[in-house]
Amino acid sequence: MTNLENTISYTTDEIAQLLKVSKLTVYDIIKKGEIRAYRVGRQMRVDAVDLTAYKERLKSGGEPATVSSNLETPHITTAESTHDNPIIISGQDLSLDIIASHIEESGLYRPLRSFSGSLNSLIKMYQGQADIVSTHLFDRETGEYNLPYIKRLLTGRSYMVVNLLGRKAGLYVQKGNPKHLQNWSDLRQSGIRLVNREKGSGARVLLDEQLQLAGITAPSITGYDDEELNHLAVASRIASGQADVGVGIEKTARLIDVDFIPLIQEQYDLVLIKTAENEKLRELLVETLNSASFKEKLATMGGYDLTKTGTILYETV
């Protein structure tokens, strides 16, 4: 250990640059106790010697060791404590940003957003890389949303599923619907150009399941491998004439100059792993979802069914 290493420390932004990872990943590493961090005022810092030790463990091929942290002190204020309790909320709907804002206002946690699709978000949760994930995954065998996937992916875990909202999903088509598309089976028409969502997204899973039900093979559709990362990008490609059809939600069609063919009512749920440590977070989330202020904000956005919002749909013992 050099004297220089004893005097240098880094912010989380600097650590992200040095490791060439996102700031979200840095918070996750700290949260897991793989690298020692401490608070100076309202800022988290990592000493150079601890960063070096972390990198050496990775280079040696060993598992990152869990280390104790000096983040907990008896004299931190509520505002400061949010920096010591980062949580990761994974998903893409705008309603998740409103949830993050409400949680941050509580002063108990610092919400960080990850914009992964539904399936990838559940995988991240299984790997311990997300605290709250949203999911809208249609299962063709049962005709249900989410729970069949959650049960398969979170085997052996204790978890809670709570409804966030309902929303209409279907097909984006060019104005006037020149290809006369009305349902999933119409995607077998020749000359149709699809723009798809990325693997792991709820929209991609919905399309794949509906193609199976309609007896349509994915390779037969032109553009099946042409992917975009969100509903807005899909709708924009169709509006510009680069594609004829894509799968998405009604809300985005109101923002982009495309027509929307509603085909299914999606169930959009939130999932949390149940631990003794996150009991307060689970209570806060359910309280937030059932609050009048939260529902009023969602209602003003339009396009959401709030009938079951805040309802715990499934909970393991």
Side-chain angles (χ1 to χ4, degrees):
M1 182 190 308
T2 67
N3 290 332
L4 186 60
E5 282 184 314
N6 282 326
T7 59
I8 294 177
S9 66
Y10 301 105
T11 65
T12 50
D13 283 320
E14 291 168 334
I15 292 292
Q17 293 175 9
L18 290 167
L19 294 179
K20 294 183 173 21
V21 298
S22 69
K23 191 173 179 181
L24 189 71
T25 299
V26 174
Y27 275 110
D28 188 47
I29 292 170
I30 293 173
K31 178 183 174 182
K32 292 178 179 178
E34 295 174 4
I35 190 170
R36 193 186 307 273
Y38 58 95
R39 179 180 49 79
V40 177
R42 299 180 64 179
Q43 190 176 70
M44 294 173 67
R45 300 192 72 87
V46 173
D47 285 339
V49 62
D50 292 313
L51 175 61
T52 299
Y54 173 75
K55 291 168 69 175
E56 288 301 319
R57 286 195 298 273
L58 294 181
K59 288 178 182 178
S60 67
E63 291 293 324
T66 300
V67 298
S68 61
S69 169
N70 294 324
L71 291 176
E72 296 295 331
T73 71
H75 302 297
I76 58 176
T77 66
T78 300
E80 292 170 338
S81 69
T82 62
H83 291 262
D84 297 342
N85 293 285
I87 61 167
I88 299 172
I89 302 175
S90 187
Q92 298 183 349
D93 196 87
L94 290 175
S95 58
L96 299 174
D97 296 326
I98 299 177
I99 290 175
S101 177
H102 275 255
I103 290 177
E104 188 164 28
E105 288 173 2
S106 74
L108 298 174
Y109 304 94
R110 182 181 182 184
L112 303 171
R113 291 284 282 110
S114 172
F115 296 93
S116 297
S118 294
L119 193 58
N120 291 333
S121 291
L122 282 174
I123 293 171
K124 284 177 179 283
M125 172 163 276
Y126 180 82
Q127 295 171 338
Q129 298 175 7
D131 299 281
I132 301 173
V133 307
S134 63
T135 177
H136 56 110
L137 295 168
F138 176 75
D139 178 59
R140 72 177 184 276
E141 294 182 0
T142 62
E144 298 178 4
Y145 263 92
N146 302 325
L147 203 53
Y149 287 89
I150 295 169
K151 287 181 176 179
R152 288 196 292 267
L153 288 171
L154 299 185
T155 300
R157 306 296 178 91
S158 182
Y159 53 86
M160 177 179 77
V161 182
V162 57
N163 180 253
L164 175 53
L165 50 88
R167 60 187 193 181
K168 292 180 181 177
L171 303 177
Y172 298 138
V173 297
Q174 294 176 10
K175 294 296 290 185
N177 193 8
K179 298 293 184 178
H180 308 292
L181 302 174
Q182 296 297 329
N183 51 53
W184 302 107
S185 61
D186 288 341
L187 295 178
R188 62 165 46 93
Q189 293 181 25
S190 62
I192 297 295
R193 295 171 299 165
L194 173 75
V195 56
N196 210 344
R197 283 293 304 280
E198 80 281 9
K199 297 178 182 67
S201 67
R204 178 66 166 259
V205 170
L206 174 61
L207 174 64
D208 288 344
E209 296 287 77
Q210 294 295 343
L211 290 179
Q212 287 276 350
L213 289 172
I216 302 173
T217 60
S220 69
I221 303 177
T222 301
Y224 179 84
D225 294 322
D226 184 4
E227 300 178 356
E228 293 290 350
L229 295 177
N230 54 60
H231 296 302
L232 196 64
V234 169
S236 296
R237 291 277 303 279
I238 294 166
S240 67
Q242 298 177 47
D244 300 305
V245 63
V247 177
I249 59 172
E250 181 181 26
K251 190 174 187 60
T252 302
R254 298 179 181 182
L255 305 174
I256 305 295
D257 194 26
V258 295
D259 285 349
F260 178 72
I261 311 299
L263 294 177
I264 195 168
Q265 178 76 3
E266 284 195 327
Q267 183 175 303
Y268 199 67
D269 297 330
L270 299 177
V271 187
L272 295 89
I273 296 290
K274 290 177 61 177
T275 66
E277 291 76 21
N278 76 354
E279 182 177 4
K280 186 175 293 186
L281 175 61
R282 284 182 275 129
E283 292 174 352
L284 175 61
L285 178 65
V286 173
E287 180 182 329
T288 296
L289 296 181
N290 284 287
S291 69
S293 61
F294 175 75
K295 291 184 177 181
E296 286 170 5
K297 288 178 181 176
L298 286 190
T300 58
M301 294 173 67
Y304 291 141
D305 179 359
L306 308 181
T307 305
K308 297 181 180 179
T309 298
T311 302
I312 298 175
L313 302 175
Y314 187 85
E315 187 171 13
T316 59
V317 178

